[in-house]
Amino acid sequence: MLKLKSILLALVMATIASQAGAAIKPFPQSFKTEMIATNGTQLYVRVGGTGPAVVLLHGYGETGDMWQPLAARLAKDHTVVVPDLRGMGLSARPTGGYDKKTQGQDIAGVLTALKIEHADLVTHDIGNMVGYALASERPGLITKFVIIDAPLPGIGPWDDIVRSHALWHFSFWGPDAERLVKGRERIYLDRFWNEFSFDPKSFDEASRRHYAALYARPGAMHAGFEQFKAFDQDAIDNKAFVAAGKLTMPVLAVGGEKSFGPTMAVVMRAAASNVTEGIVPHSGHWVMEENPADTIELVTDFLK
């Protein structure tokens, strides 16, 4: 019976993903998908490959689907775990828990359910914030940490970064914001994909349709806005993490050349003691869409 339920769940999730409308490349057939109960919610998780574990965490405007090219490469010699974050993609949308400390605990619970005791960590955007909280609370769990192109609330130059007019969306949330965006999810998301790209054409139309359909599902935009609403609490939590001690595992801080660039290393040197700087050339924020080859090379070389 449990096996039948798992098969039916996989079929339902595959149908939903295909209805999202996209030419996003599917994960290799060796990857399995399941809903994993963790920390009072359920996360949609892709798992494939064999070898040392690596966890890939996505950011806002995307889902775990963004990692397909990297996951396919890593699965040759790693067990690759790719969740959709709480409230995003095909994961459940609980009413609360969008602070990144709670979401870090979500990911720890996924690894426990999968019987994984140690893992490398690769993150982007909001995933950076979740990953940092996880690595801070469970330093013995994370062996290496690759953090890509987004700041950490309350850490390093955060107060200067948030003064940028381009980041007005950090404070855009609440019922009226949801009313403004309802039915216009694609327009809202296009703003991110266009303004934060070195070349907007690199974020292709099929990918835009795919993600816009997922974010238009009931409750998805509300959950996305809750990620930003939690930044004030995240800043409080992060300052406490730093006060307790910097991360000691090796960290690769990666910025898109036309986005955060070397600022990512500045951010992480305020929070970690063993930081290497990496730059993805010819790329803005969306490194996996704009320059996947160089991004994958940076990550895989660091994780060797």
Side-chain angles (χ1 to χ4, degrees):
M1 180 63 70
L2 287 176
K3 184 176 182 180
L4 177 60
K5 287 182 178 179
S6 296
I7 293 171
L8 290 173
L9 176 62
L11 289 172
V12 169
M13 292 306 174
T15 300
I16 291 172
S18 65
Q19 290 174 346
I24 296 285
K25 291 183 179 179
F27 278 64
Q29 291 185 347
S30 59
F31 275 72
K32 308 301 180 186
T33 62
E34 58 182 310
M35 293 292 285
I36 294 181
T38 174
N39 198 28
T41 189
Q42 290 188 317
L43 299 190
Y44 178 75
V45 184
R46 311 151 186 83
V47 183
T50 58
V54 57
V55 181
L56 312 181
L57 301 182
H58 68 90
Y60 186 78
E62 299 182 296
T63 69
D65 293 334
M66 67 168 283
W67 294 117
Q68 184 277 336
L70 176 61
R73 173 78 168 272
L74 288 172
K76 296 175 181 178
D77 52 13
H78 287 79
T79 298
V80 185
V81 180
V82 190
D84 286 348
L85 295 177
R86 173 183 288 240
M88 302 172 82
L90 298 179
S91 288
R93 309 195 209 290
T95 57
Y98 293 94
D99 63 280
K100 310 314 174 290
K101 184 175 179 179
T102 295
Q103 292 189 75
Q105 294 163 0
D106 292 349
I107 305 305
V110 166
L111 295 179
T112 297
L114 295 173
K115 297 180 170 55
I116 293 172
E117 297 181 354
H118 304 285
D120 293 334
L121 183 61
V122 181
T123 65
H124 179 251
D125 192 81
I126 293 289
N128 290 356
M129 305 173 190
V130 177
Y132 174 68
L134 171 63
S136 295
E137 285 208 297
R138 300 286 299 275
L141 178 62
I142 303 304
T143 47
K144 291 184 177 180
F145 186 5
V146 181
I147 184 166
I148 305 174
D149 211 77
L152 298 176
I155 289 181
W158 171 256
D159 290 338
D160 293 327
I161 290 170
V162 296
R163 291 190 180 98
S164 169
H165 295 303
L167 300 180
W168 57 263
H169 59 278
F170 282 8
S171 299
F172 186 74
W173 43 263
D176 290 331
E178 293 176 36
R179 289 173 57 215
L180 283 167
V181 173
K182 185 175 177 59
R184 305 177 184 89
E185 294 86 1
R186 169 62 188 270
I187 297 172
Y188 182 70
L189 292 167
D190 271 339
R191 180 259 164 177
F192 292 88
W193 300 325
N194 291 339
E195 293 190 15
F196 296 152
S197 295
F198 175 47
D199 179 358
K201 292 190 294 295
S202 62
F203 207 110
D204 64 80
E205 175 62 25
S207 296
R208 292 170 187 246
R209 290 197 304 268
H210 176 81
Y211 291 123
L214 287 168
Y215 277 81
R217 297 180 71 211
M221 288 304 292
H222 171 75
F225 289 147
E226 289 292 298
Q227 301 281 357
F228 300 117
K229 183 179 178 181
F231 279 3
D232 287 346
Q233 181 59 51
D234 298 334
I236 292 170
D237 292 337
N238 288 346
K239 289 176 182 178
F241 290 145
V242 171
K246 291 184 175 184
L247 300 180
T248 58
M249 75 283 292
V251 173
L252 175 63
V254 177
E257 179 187 8
K258 304 299 181 180
S259 185
F260 278 91
T263 301
M264 279 309 303
V266 175
V267 170
M268 288 313 296
R269 288 185 180 119
S273 60
N274 183 2
V275 177
T276 301
E277 177 183 312
I279 303 291
V280 179
H282 313 298
S283 179
H285 178 64
W286 309 103
V287 295
M288 285 302 299
E289 289 73 28
E290 300 186 71
N291 190 346
D294 283 333
T295 303
I296 290 170
E297 184 176 359
L298 277 169
V299 172
T300 54
D301 283 352
F302 184 74
L303 296 185
K304 286 179 180 176

